[in-house]
């Protein structure tokens, strides 16, 4: 008799794999660059006012930091999905969500992508201090310009 838990997990993984297409993008992560330089290098026409160095302490400037070429995986779903649903698909495929510094690197290396579709980095969550809302960094188009914004974690 088949193990129902293993069968369920295998079925969920197979379903998750069928719901998206994966593309790889090569980027440079450079921890030697300060937050402001990374932000400016993106050349965004709009930047959400909450996107400031003190709100994203995980982006640490380090004179001895490393510069590394990495591959990021973009997941393209064939329908609208919630962030938790996308995270489940990632988990089933041994992937982890992108962080803010990886989103910066993607925006610098591939600025054309956000003109095609919004891109989130659910590996970094910002909790808005007044309302307590969880927000994730987002590359998109706002009022016709490239934007670095925050969106609801939903």
């Amino acid at each position: 008799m088949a193990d129902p838990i293993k069968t369920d997990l295998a079925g969920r993984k197979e379903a998750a794999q069928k719901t998206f297409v994966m593309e790889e993008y090569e980027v440079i992560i450079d921890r030697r660059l300060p937050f402001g330089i990374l932000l400016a290098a993106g050349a965004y026409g709009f930047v959400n006012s909450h996107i400031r160095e003190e709100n994203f302490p995980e982006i640490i400037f380090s004179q001895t930091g490393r510069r590394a070429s990495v591959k990021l995986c973009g997941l393209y779903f064939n329908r609208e999905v919630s962030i938790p649903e996308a995270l489940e698909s990632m988990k089933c495929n041994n992937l982890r969500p992108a962080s803010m510094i990886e989103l910066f690197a993607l925006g610098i290396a591939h600025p054309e992508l956000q003109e095609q579709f919004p891109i989130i980095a659910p590996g970094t969550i910002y909790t808005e201090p007044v309302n307590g809302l969880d927000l994730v960094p987002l590359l998109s188009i706002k009022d016709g310009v490239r934007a670095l914004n925050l969106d609801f974690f939903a």
Side-chain angles (χ1 to χ4, degrees), residues 26-88:
E26 191 148 338
V27 300
I28 301 293
I29 305 289
D30 193 342
R31 295 211 177 263
R32 299 171 300 177
L33 297 177
F35 188 94
I37 299 294
L38 290 169
L39 192 59
Y44 303 104
F46 170 84
V47 176
N48 184 293
S49 63
H50 291 284
I51 299 178
R52 299 186 305 265
E53 187 170 8
E54 62 269 18
N55 292 338
F56 296 93
E58 72 277 3
I59 300 178
I60 300 168
F61 167 70
S62 170
Q63 290 181 339
T64 59
R66 294 183 16 171
R67 182 176 194 267
S69 176
V70 299
K71 288 186 181 176
L72 302 179
C73 294
L75 304 183
Y76 304 96
F77 291 86
N78 57 9
R79 60 187 172 76
E80 191 170 307
V81 297
S82 68
I83 293 174
E85 188 177 356
L87 292 173
E88 177 65 23

Side-chain angles (χ1 to χ4, degrees), residues 7-21 77-79 81 85 88-90 92-93:
T7 302
D8 180 54
L9 288 174
R12 286 181 25 207
K13 183 174 182 177
E14 183 179 331
Q17 288 172 333
K18 290 181 180 177
T19 62
F20 65 84
V21 173
F77 291 86
N78 57 9
R79 60 187 172 76
V81 297
E85 188 177 356
E88 177 65 23
S89 292
M90 294 173 73
C92 287
N93 288 278

